[in-house]
Amino acid sequence: MRIIFYLLSIIIANVVTAAFAPLQLGMFIVPMGTLLIGSTFIFRDLVQNKYGRAKTYLFIFIALILSGIVSFILGDTVWIVMASAISFVISETADTEIYTRLKLPIAWRVLYSGIVGGCLDSVIFVVIGLSPIGANVLPWEAIPAAILGQIIVKTVIQMFGALIYNRVRVINRKPLISE
């Protein structure tokens, strides 16, 4: 189920981003799919817990292919597909490697690796895909707000994910964060 949730969260994030206009939260611009992208890092961590780092890279590759196919079917521009692929590979790799190397309870590893992955994903995707360098969807003045908006949303999702994950483990008598 972990693998299915991981792959589905990526596919659904692409579909939701294409189907709905971005949220305008004050000065921040947040694509609707961002709400799901934050969860992909959590699901990837759960996949790594069960299957290990080497197999996780196989699932990241499968997710990358599926994401590209879905983006193509949805009619995304080449710049958007390319930005998505580059940001995905870099952010998922960073998340995987940070998660692997941190010697902390799992909930903290989920939080910290996801925040770094989410920040990288946001910066790379917005600059390559949405800025005048790429698809020219946003002017340069809007780029910082777009990046920051995505980082905030992804960080909040990572925090909730880590708290929920920890709570489930505590309920199951396997605490991850010292009380």
Side-chain angles (χ1 to χ4, degrees):
M1 289 305 288
R2 296 167 196 230
I3 297 167
I4 291 170
F5 285 142
Y6 174 61
L7 297 175
L8 280 177
S9 67
I10 293 163
I11 292 168
I12 293 169
N14 283 343
V15 172
V16 168
T17 298
F20 297 100
L23 290 172
Q24 185 80 38
L25 304 170
M27 67 181 248
F28 303 117
I29 303 163
V30 182
M32 293 296 286
T34 301
L35 300 169
L36 292 162
I37 293 299
S39 67
T40 64
F41 295 112
I42 297 166
F43 291 133
R44 197 223 41 81
D45 293 338
L46 295 175
V47 167
Q48 185 174 347
N49 280 348
K50 181 155 183 135
Y51 298 101
R53 188 168 133 218
K55 284 188 180 176
T56 297
Y57 277 110
L58 171 64
F59 299 126
I60 291 171
F61 179 73
I62 292 168
L64 175 65
I65 299 300
L66 289 173
S67 179
I69 290 168
V70 170
S71 290
F72 177 77
I73 291 169
L74 294 171
D76 288 337
T77 68
V78 172
W79 278 106
I80 298 293
V81 173
M82 186 174 68
S84 179
I86 292 168
S87 66
F88 182 81
V89 167
I90 293 171
S91 64
E92 291 288 330
T93 299
D95 185 283
T96 301
E97 294 305 316
I98 291 168
Y99 184 84
T100 298
R101 286 170 173 72
L102 286 177
K103 303 302 178 208
L104 298 170
I106 294 171
W108 287 112
R109 291 169 34 203
V110 166
L111 178 64
Y112 294 147
S113 66
I115 288 173
V116 173
C119 289
L120 288 170
D121 184 67
S122 299
V123 171
I124 294 166
F125 179 76
V126 171
V127 170
I128 295 174
L130 303 179
S131 78
I133 290 174
N136 200 20
V137 174
L138 297 174
W140 283 115
E141 315 68 73
I143 298 301
I147 291 170
L148 193 54
Q150 288 189 39
I151 288 172
I152 290 168
V153 169
K154 290 173 188 172
T155 299
V156 168
I157 290 169
Q158 291 300 318
M159 289 177 4
F160 279 124
L163 288 171
I164 291 167
Y165 191 72
N166 186 59
R167 188 68 188 143
V168 168
R169 298 291 283 208
V170 168
I171 290 168
N172 291 331
R173 304 273 184 222
K174 299 175 186 170
L176 298 175
I177 299 176
S178 300
E179 306 281 323

mmCIF file of all heavy atoms in Angstrom, residues 129-173:
data_model
loop_
_atom_site.group_PDB
_atom_site.id
_atom_site.type_symbol
_atom_site.label_atom_id
_atom_site.label_comp_id
_atom_site.label_asym_id
_atom_site.label_seq_id
_atom_site.Cartn_x
_atom_site.Cartn_y
_atom_site.Cartn_z
ATOM 1 N N GLY A 129 10.448 25.988 -14.302
ATOM 2 C CA GLY A 129 9.174 25.789 -14.986
ATOM 3 C C GLY A 129 8.313 27.014 -15.159
ATOM 4 O O GLY A 129 7.683 27.186 -16.199
ATOM 5 N N LEU A 130 8.260 27.885 -14.163
ATOM 6 C CA LEU A 130 7.282 28.968 -14.196
ATOM 7 C C LEU A 130 7.857 30.348 -14.501
ATOM 8 O O LEU A 130 7.133 31.240 -14.929
ATOM 9 C CB LEU A 130 6.528 29.015 -12.855
ATOM 10 C CG LEU A 130 5.816 27.726 -12.440
ATOM 11 C CD1 LEU A 130 5.138 27.912 -11.094
ATOM 12 C CD2 LEU A 130 4.838 27.271 -13.500
ATOM 13 N N SER A 131 9.145 30.540 -14.274
ATOM 14 C CA SER A 131 9.765 31.855 -14.446
ATOM 15 C C SER A 131 9.942 32.183 -15.935
ATOM 16 O O SER A 131 9.728 31.326 -16.795
ATOM 17 C CB SER A 131 11.131 31.880 -13.749
ATOM 18 O OG SER A 131 12.099 31.209 -14.533
ATOM 19 N N PRO A 132 10.388 33.391 -16.225
ATOM 20 C CA PRO A 132 10.682 33.740 -17.616
ATOM 21 C C PRO A 132 11.767 32.865 -18.254
ATOM 22 O O PRO A 132 11.842 32.777 -19.477
ATOM 23 C CB PRO A 132 11.148 35.201 -17.512
ATOM 24 C CG PRO A 132 10.402 35.734 -16.329
ATOM 25 C CD PRO A 132 10.404 34.577 -15.351
ATOM 26 N N ILE A 133 12.561 32.176 -17.441
ATOM 27 C CA ILE A 133 13.552 31.236 -17.993
ATOM 28 C C ILE A 133 12.847 30.081 -18.688
ATOM 29 O O ILE A 133 13.300 29.579 -19.701
ATOM 30 C CB ILE A 133 14.463 30.672 -16.874
ATOM 31 C CG1 ILE A 133 15.382 31.747 -16.345
ATOM 32 C CG2 ILE A 133 15.280 29.478 -17.370
ATOM 33 C CD1 ILE A 133 16.202 31.312 -15.136
ATOM 34 N N GLY A 134 11.729 29.638 -18.113
ATOM 35 C CA GLY A 134 11.015 28.467 -18.612
ATOM 36 C C GLY A 134 9.752 28.817 -19.372
ATOM 37 O O GLY A 134 9.795 29.457 -20.413
ATOM 38 N N ALA A 135 8.617 28.410 -18.814
ATOM 39 C CA ALA A 135 7.331 28.582 -19.488
ATOM 40 C C ALA A 135 6.826 30.017 -19.431
ATOM 41 O O ALA A 135 5.827 30.349 -20.064
ATOM 42 C CB ALA A 135 6.295 27.639 -18.878
ATOM 43 N N ASN A 136 7.482 30.865 -18.663
ATOM 44 C CA ASN A 136 7.129 32.281 -18.558
ATOM 45 C C ASN A 136 5.689 32.480 -18.074
ATOM 46 O O ASN A 136 4.967 33.340 -18.552
ATOM 47 C CB ASN A 136 7.363 33.006 -19.889
ATOM 48 C CG ASN A 136 7.480 34.502 -19.717
ATOM 49 O OD1 ASN A 136 7.754 34.997 -18.627
ATOM 50 N ND2 ASN A 136 7.260 35.228 -20.802
ATOM 51 N N VAL A 137 5.293 31.671 -17.102
ATOM 52 C CA VAL A 137 3.964 31.765 -16.515
ATOM 53 C C VAL A 137 3.912 32.904 -15.503
ATOM 54 O O VAL A 137 2.897 33.584 -15.377
ATOM 55 C CB VAL A 137 3.570 30.421 -15.842
ATOM 56 C CG1 VAL A 137 2.269 30.528 -15.094
ATOM 57 C CG2 VAL A 137 3.521 29.308 -16.875
ATOM 58 N N LEU A 138 5.015 33.092 -14.791
ATOM 59 C CA LEU A 138 5.085 34.130 -13.760
ATOM 60 C C LEU A 138 6.197 35.124 -14.076
ATOM 61 O O LEU A 138 7.275 34.718 -14.515
ATOM 62 C CB LEU A 138 5.377 33.506 -12.389
ATOM 63 C CG LEU A 138 4.344 32.545 -11.818
ATOM 64 C CD1 LEU A 138 4.874 31.913 -10.536
ATOM 65 C CD2 LEU A 138 3.029 33.265 -11.559
ATOM 66 N N PRO A 139 5.962 36.414 -13.801
ATOM 67 C CA PRO A 139 7.048 37.384 -13.952
ATOM 68 C C PRO A 139 8.034 37.232 -12.792
ATOM 69 O O PRO A 139 7.711 36.659 -11.751
ATOM 70 C CB PRO A 139 6.317 38.737 -13.881
ATOM 71 C CG PRO A 139 5.099 38.448 -13.063
ATOM 72 C CD PRO A 139 4.707 37.028 -13.384
ATOM 73 N N TRP A 140 9.233 37.761 -12.964
ATOM 74 C CA TRP A 140 10.263 37.636 -11.943
ATOM 75 C C TRP A 140 9.796 38.159 -10.591
ATOM 76 O O TRP A 140 10.149 37.608 -9.554
ATOM 77 C CB TRP A 140 11.549 38.355 -12.357
ATOM 78 C CG TRP A 140 12.338 37.579 -13.355
ATOM 79 C CD1 TRP A 140 12.597 37.926 -14.643
ATOM 80 C CD2 TRP A 140 12.954 36.299 -13.163
ATOM 81 N NE1 TRP A 140 13.345 36.945 -15.271
ATOM 82 C CE2 TRP A 140 13.573 35.932 -14.373
ATOM 83 C CE3 TRP A 140 13.035 35.410 -12.089
ATOM 84 C CZ2 TRP A 140 14.266 34.741 -14.535
ATOM 85 C CZ3 TRP A 140 13.730 34.218 -12.244
ATOM 86 C CH2 TRP A 140 14.336 33.896 -13.454
ATOM 87 N N GLU A 141 8.966 39.225 -10.589
ATOM 88 C CA GLU A 141 8.509 39.785 -9.312
ATOM 89 C C GLU A 141 7.692 38.788 -8.506
ATOM 90 O O GLU A 141 7.616 38.874 -7.283
ATOM 91 C CB GLU A 141 7.608 41.012 -9.497
ATOM 92 C CG GLU A 141 7.944 42.105 -10.451
ATOM 93 C CD GLU A 141 7.900 41.769 -11.926
ATOM 94 O OE1 GLU A 141 6.809 41.603 -12.506
ATOM 95 O OE2 GLU A 141 8.982 41.699 -12.512
ATOM 96 N N ALA A 142 7.008 37.854 -9.173
ATOM 97 C CA ALA A 142 6.137 36.889 -8.493
ATOM 98 C C ALA A 142 6.876 35.620 -8.066
ATOM 99 O O ALA A 142 6.347 34.828 -7.279
ATOM 100 C CB ALA A 142 4.964 36.518 -9.398
ATOM 101 N N ILE A 143 8.081 35.426 -8.541
ATOM 102 C CA ILE A 143 8.819 34.187 -8.270
ATOM 103 C C ILE A 143 9.078 33.979 -6.772
ATOM 104 O O ILE A 143 8.814 32.892 -6.243
ATOM 105 C CB ILE A 143 10.131 34.132 -9.086
ATOM 106 C CG1 ILE A 143 9.820 34.128 -10.584
ATOM 107 C CG2 ILE A 143 10.983 32.939 -8.695
ATOM 108 C CD1 ILE A 143 8.951 32.992 -11.068
ATOM 109 N N PRO A 144 9.581 34.968 -6.027
ATOM 110 C CA PRO A 144 9.808 34.732 -4.585
ATOM 111 C C PRO A 144 8.531 34.330 -3.838
ATOM 112 O O PRO A 144 8.560 33.433 -2.996
ATOM 113 C CB PRO A 144 10.347 36.079 -4.078
ATOM 114 C CG PRO A 144 10.951 36.722 -5.282
ATOM 115 C CD PRO A 144 10.082 36.295 -6.431
ATOM 116 N N ALA A 145 7.411 34.972 -4.152
ATOM 117 C CA ALA A 145 6.145 34.638 -3.486
ATOM 118 C C ALA A 145 5.687 33.227 -3.860
ATOM 119 O O ALA A 145 5.153 32.503 -3.018
ATOM 120 C CB ALA A 145 5.071 35.662 -3.841
ATOM 121 N N ALA A 146 5.910 32.830 -5.094
ATOM 122 C CA ALA A 146 5.525 31.476 -5.522
ATOM 123 C C ALA A 146 6.376 30.432 -4.809
ATOM 124 O O ALA A 146 5.859 29.408 -4.346
ATOM 125 C CB ALA A 146 5.660 31.343 -7.041
ATOM 126 N N ILE A 147 7.669 30.691 -4.723
ATOM 127 C CA ILE A 147 8.561 29.744 -4.042
ATOM 128 C C ILE A 147 8.222 29.676 -2.560
ATOM 129 O O ILE A 147 8.050 28.579 -2.001
ATOM 130 C CB ILE A 147 10.041 30.152 -4.244
ATOM 131 C CG1 ILE A 147 10.446 29.948 -5.703
ATOM 132 C CG2 ILE A 147 10.955 29.350 -3.311
ATOM 133 C CD1 ILE A 147 11.811 30.541 -6.057
ATOM 134 N N LEU A 148 8.119 30.812 -1.922
ATOM 135 C CA LEU A 148 7.854 30.849 -0.487
ATOM 136 C C LEU A 148 6.501 30.236 -0.144
ATOM 137 O O LEU A 148 6.375 29.499 0.844
ATOM 138 C CB LEU A 148 7.949 32.280 0.035
ATOM 139 C CG LEU A 148 8.000 32.448 1.537
ATOM 140 C CD1 LEU A 148 9.118 31.622 2.160
ATOM 141 C CD2 LEU A 148 8.179 33.919 1.902
ATOM 142 N N GLY A 149 5.490 30.501 -0.958
ATOM 143 C CA GLY A 149 4.168 29.916 -0.722
ATOM 144 C C GLY A 149 4.203 28.399 -0.749
ATOM 145 O O GLY A 149 3.639 27.729 0.120
ATOM 146 N N GLN A 150 4.909 27.842 -1.734
ATOM 147 C CA GLN A 150 5.022 26.389 -1.811
ATOM 148 C C GLN A 150 5.821 25.821 -0.643
ATOM 149 O O GLN A 150 5.460 24.787 -0.085
ATOM 150 C CB GLN A 150 5.664 25.981 -3.141
ATOM 151 C CG GLN A 150 4.745 26.172 -4.317
ATOM 152 C CD GLN A 150 5.305 25.564 -5.577
ATOM 153 O OE1 GLN A 150 5.905 24.494 -5.543
ATOM 154 N NE2 GLN A 150 5.106 26.236 -6.696
ATOM 155 N N ILE A 151 6.889 26.495 -0.269
ATOM 156 C CA ILE A 151 7.704 26.020 0.848
ATOM 157 C C ILE A 151 6.888 26.004 2.134
ATOM 158 O O ILE A 151 6.944 25.039 2.908
ATOM 159 C CB ILE A 151 8.987 26.866 1.001
ATOM 160 C CG1 ILE A 151 9.955 26.557 -0.147
ATOM 161 C CG2 ILE A 151 9.658 26.613 2.354
ATOM 162 C CD1 ILE A 151 11.170 27.474 -0.207
ATOM 163 N N ILE A 152 6.132 27.052 2.374
ATOM 164 C CA ILE A 152 5.311 27.115 3.588
ATOM 165 C C ILE A 152 4.305 25.971 3.617
ATOM 166 O O ILE A 152 4.190 25.263 4.631
ATOM 167 C CB ILE A 152 4.598 28.485 3.704
ATOM 168 C CG1 ILE A 152 5.631 29.586 3.999
ATOM 169 C CG2 ILE A 152 3.517 28.454 4.772
ATOM 170 C CD1 ILE A 152 5.088 30.997 3.837
ATOM 171 N N VAL A 153 3.578 25.774 2.528
ATOM 172 C CA VAL A 153 2.563 24.711 2.486
ATOM 173 C C VAL A 153 3.210 23.343 2.658
ATOM 174 O O VAL A 153 2.738 22.516 3.448
ATOM 175 C CB VAL A 153 1.742 24.782 1.179
ATOM 176 C CG1 VAL A 153 0.883 23.547 0.991
ATOM 177 C CG2 VAL A 153 0.883 26.042 1.168
ATOM 178 N N LYS A 154 4.287 23.078 1.959
ATOM 179 C CA LYS A 154 4.953 21.771 2.063
ATOM 180 C C LYS A 154 5.510 21.541 3.465
ATOM 181 O O LYS A 154 5.448 20.426 3.980
ATOM 182 C CB LYS A 154 6.063 21.657 1.012
ATOM 183 C CG LYS A 154 5.520 21.540 -0.401
ATOM 184 C CD LYS A 154 6.629 21.603 -1.431
ATOM 185 C CE LYS A 154 6.044 21.682 -2.822
ATOM 186 N NZ LYS A 154 7.056 21.929 -3.847
ATOM 187 N N THR A 155 6.037 22.592 4.097
ATOM 188 C CA THR A 155 6.573 22.464 5.456
ATOM 189 C C THR A 155 5.455 22.154 6.446
ATOM 190 O O THR A 155 5.617 21.284 7.312
ATOM 191 C CB THR A 155 7.330 23.744 5.866
ATOM 192 O OG1 THR A 155 8.421 23.940 4.955
ATOM 193 C CG2 THR A 155 7.862 23.649 7.282
ATOM 194 N N VAL A 156 4.341 22.831 6.321
ATOM 195 C CA VAL A 156 3.198 22.558 7.204
ATOM 196 C C VAL A 156 2.731 21.110 7.025
ATOM 197 O O VAL A 156 2.471 20.409 8.014
ATOM 198 C CB VAL A 156 2.051 23.561 6.956
ATOM 199 C CG1 VAL A 156 0.765 23.125 7.638
ATOM 200 C CG2 VAL A 156 2.457 24.951 7.412
ATOM 201 N N ILE A 157 2.666 20.660 5.801
ATOM 202 C CA ILE A 157 2.254 19.269 5.548
ATOM 203 C C ILE A 157 3.268 18.299 6.150
ATOM 204 O O ILE A 157 2.892 17.282 6.734
ATOM 205 C CB ILE A 157 2.058 19.033 4.039
ATOM 206 C CG1 ILE A 157 0.810 19.792 3.582
ATOM 207 C CG2 ILE A 157 1.928 17.545 3.726
ATOM 208 C CD1 ILE A 157 0.640 19.878 2.095
ATOM 209 N N GLN A 158 4.562 18.599 6.028
ATOM 210 C CA GLN A 158 5.594 17.748 6.636
ATOM 211 C C GLN A 158 5.429 17.697 8.149
ATOM 212 O O GLN A 158 5.567 16.634 8.758
ATOM 213 C CB GLN A 158 6.992 18.270 6.297
ATOM 214 C CG GLN A 158 7.381 18.114 4.857
ATOM 215 C CD GLN A 158 7.390 16.679 4.417
ATOM 216 O OE1 GLN A 158 7.852 15.791 5.116
ATOM 217 N NE2 GLN A 158 6.851 16.431 3.249
ATOM 218 N N MET A 159 5.127 18.840 8.759
ATOM 219 C CA MET A 159 4.952 18.870 10.216
ATOM 220 C C MET A 159 3.753 18.023 10.628
ATOM 221 O O MET A 159 3.858 17.220 11.565
ATOM 222 C CB MET A 159 4.785 20.316 10.696
ATOM 223 C CG MET A 159 6.068 21.095 10.606
ATOM 224 S SD MET A 159 6.054 22.858 11.050
ATOM 225 C CE MET A 159 4.467 23.220 11.615
ATOM 226 N N PHE A 160 2.637 18.174 9.930
ATOM 227 C CA PHE A 160 1.459 17.357 10.249
ATOM 228 C C PHE A 160 1.745 15.877 10.026
ATOM 229 O O PHE A 160 1.365 15.038 10.832
ATOM 230 C CB PHE A 160 0.244 17.785 9.418
ATOM 231 C CG PHE A 160 -0.462 18.982 9.949
ATOM 232 C CD1 PHE A 160 -0.653 20.097 9.150
ATOM 233 C CD2 PHE A 160 -0.944 19.019 11.251
ATOM 234 C CE1 PHE A 160 -1.308 21.221 9.628
ATOM 235 C CE2 PHE A 160 -1.593 20.137 11.748
ATOM 236 C CZ PHE A 160 -1.778 21.245 10.931
ATOM 237 N N GLY A 161 2.425 15.575 8.924
ATOM 238 C CA GLY A 161 2.759 14.181 8.639
ATOM 239 C C GLY A 161 3.626 13.566 9.718
ATOM 240 O O GLY A 161 3.386 12.443 10.161
ATOM 241 N N ALA A 162 4.640 14.296 10.162
ATOM 242 C CA ALA A 162 5.529 13.794 11.214
ATOM 243 C C ALA A 162 4.765 13.617 12.522
ATOM 244 O O ALA A 162 4.948 12.614 13.229
ATOM 245 C CB ALA A 162 6.712 14.740 11.405
ATOM 246 N N LEU A 163 3.899 14.579 12.850
ATOM 247 C CA LEU A 163 3.099 14.467 14.078
ATOM 248 C C LEU A 163 2.140 13.284 14.025
ATOM 249 O O LEU A 163 2.025 12.526 14.998
ATOM 250 C CB LEU A 163 2.320 15.763 14.330
ATOM 251 C CG LEU A 163 3.144 16.958 14.771
ATOM 252 C CD1 LEU A 163 2.292 18.220 14.759
ATOM 253 C CD2 LEU A 163 3.754 16.727 16.135
ATOM 254 N N ILE A 164 1.477 13.113 12.916
ATOM 255 C CA ILE A 164 0.538 11.989 12.758
ATOM 256 C C ILE A 164 1.292 10.669 12.815
ATOM 257 O O ILE A 164 0.874 9.735 13.499
ATOM 258 C CB ILE A 164 -0.270 12.118 11.450
ATOM 259 C CG1 ILE A 164 -1.236 13.294 11.558
ATOM 260 C CG2 ILE A 164 -1.006 10.827 11.130
ATOM 261 C CD1 ILE A 164 -1.855 13.710 10.237
ATOM 262 N N TYR A 165 2.410 10.603 12.092
ATOM 263 C CA TYR A 165 3.207 9.384 12.089
ATOM 264 C C TYR A 165 3.671 9.044 13.501
ATOM 265 O O TYR A 165 3.587 7.898 13.946
ATOM 266 C CB TYR A 165 4.398 9.541 11.137
ATOM 267 C CG TYR A 165 5.127 8.263 10.877
ATOM 268 C CD1 TYR A 165 4.563 7.267 10.090
ATOM 269 C CD2 TYR A 165 6.388 8.030 11.416
ATOM 270 C CE1 TYR A 165 5.225 6.081 9.843
ATOM 271 C CE2 TYR A 165 7.066 6.854 11.182
ATOM 272 C CZ TYR A 165 6.478 5.884 10.387
ATOM 273 O OH TYR A 165 7.135 4.713 10.156
ATOM 274 N N ASN A 166 4.145 10.037 14.223
ATOM 275 C CA ASN A 166 4.584 9.818 15.594
ATOM 276 C C ASN A 166 3.417 9.375 16.471
ATOM 277 O O ASN A 166 3.558 8.461 17.284
ATOM 278 C CB ASN A 166 5.231 11.074 16.173
ATOM 279 C CG ASN A 166 5.813 10.810 17.544
ATOM 280 O OD1 ASN A 166 6.676 9.956 17.700
ATOM 281 N ND2 ASN A 166 5.316 11.524 18.538
ATOM 282 N N ARG A 167 2.285 10.015 16.326
ATOM 283 C CA ARG A 167 1.107 9.681 17.138
ATOM 284 C C ARG A 167 0.663 8.236 16.908
ATOM 285 O O ARG A 167 0.348 7.527 17.863
ATOM 286 C CB ARG A 167 -0.037 10.656 16.826
ATOM 287 C CG ARG A 167 -1.195 10.502 17.729
ATOM 288 C CD ARG A 167 -0.800 10.935 19.135
ATOM 289 N NE ARG A 167 -1.902 10.596 20.031
ATOM 290 C CZ ARG A 167 -1.757 10.164 21.249
ATOM 291 N NH1 ARG A 167 -0.559 10.048 21.768
ATOM 292 N NH2 ARG A 167 -2.786 9.874 21.980
ATOM 293 N N VAL A 168 0.657 7.823 15.664
ATOM 294 C CA VAL A 168 0.295 6.434 15.345
ATOM 295 C C VAL A 168 1.274 5.482 16.012
ATOM 296 O O VAL A 168 0.867 4.469 16.587
ATOM 297 C CB VAL A 168 0.252 6.215 13.818
ATOM 298 C CG1 VAL A 168 0.185 4.740 13.467
ATOM 299 C CG2 VAL A 168 -0.917 6.977 13.207
ATOM 300 N N ARG A 169 2.553 5.805 15.960
ATOM 301 C CA ARG A 169 3.561 4.942 16.583
ATOM 302 C C ARG A 169 3.400 4.906 18.108
ATOM 303 O O ARG A 169 3.585 3.875 18.721
ATOM 304 C CB ARG A 169 4.968 5.405 16.202
ATOM 305 C CG ARG A 169 5.257 5.337 14.712
ATOM 306 C CD ARG A 169 5.343 3.937 14.246
ATOM 307 N NE ARG A 169 6.616 3.404 14.653
ATOM 308 C CZ ARG A 169 7.260 2.452 14.035
ATOM 309 N NH1 ARG A 169 6.749 1.901 12.990
ATOM 310 N NH2 ARG A 169 8.403 2.024 14.490
ATOM 311 N N VAL A 170 3.062 6.043 18.715
ATOM 312 C CA VAL A 170 2.858 6.090 20.170
ATOM 313 C C VAL A 170 1.657 5.227 20.541
ATOM 314 O O VAL A 170 1.704 4.463 21.511
ATOM 315 C CB VAL A 170 2.671 7.544 20.657
ATOM 316 C CG1 VAL A 170 2.162 7.586 22.088
ATOM 317 C CG2 VAL A 170 3.988 8.305 20.541
ATOM 318 N N ILE A 171 0.598 5.339 19.777
ATOM 319 C CA ILE A 171 -0.595 4.537 20.028
ATOM 320 C C ILE A 171 -0.268 3.048 19.940
ATOM 321 O O ILE A 171 -0.756 2.232 20.706
ATOM 322 C CB ILE A 171 -1.740 4.911 19.070
ATOM 323 C CG1 ILE A 171 -2.275 6.308 19.432
ATOM 324 C CG2 ILE A 171 -2.859 3.877 19.083
ATOM 325 C CD1 ILE A 171 -3.204 6.902 18.411
ATOM 326 N N ASN A 172 0.612 2.714 19.001
ATOM 327 C CA ASN A 172 1.031 1.322 18.843
ATOM 328 C C ASN A 172 2.173 0.945 19.783
ATOM 329 O O ASN A 172 2.826 -0.071 19.615
ATOM 330 C CB ASN A 172 1.463 1.073 17.391
ATOM 331 C CG ASN A 172 0.320 1.123 16.443
ATOM 332 O OD1 ASN A 172 -0.822 0.812 16.794
ATOM 333 N ND2 ASN A 172 0.591 1.530 15.212
ATOM 334 N N ARG A 173 2.441 1.809 20.758
ATOM 335 C CA ARG A 173 3.473 1.584 21.787
ATOM 336 C C ARG A 173 4.888 1.562 21.204
ATOM 337 O O ARG A 173 5.759 0.847 21.678
ATOM 338 C CB ARG A 173 3.238 0.293 22.549
ATOM 339 C CG ARG A 173 1.894 0.212 23.183
ATOM 340 C CD ARG A 173 1.969 0.861 24.534
ATOM 341 N NE ARG A 173 0.663 0.677 25.190
ATOM 342 C CZ ARG A 173 0.081 1.628 25.863
ATOM 343 N NH1 ARG A 173 0.634 2.804 25.981
ATOM 344 N NH2 ARG A 173 -1.080 1.428 26.426
#
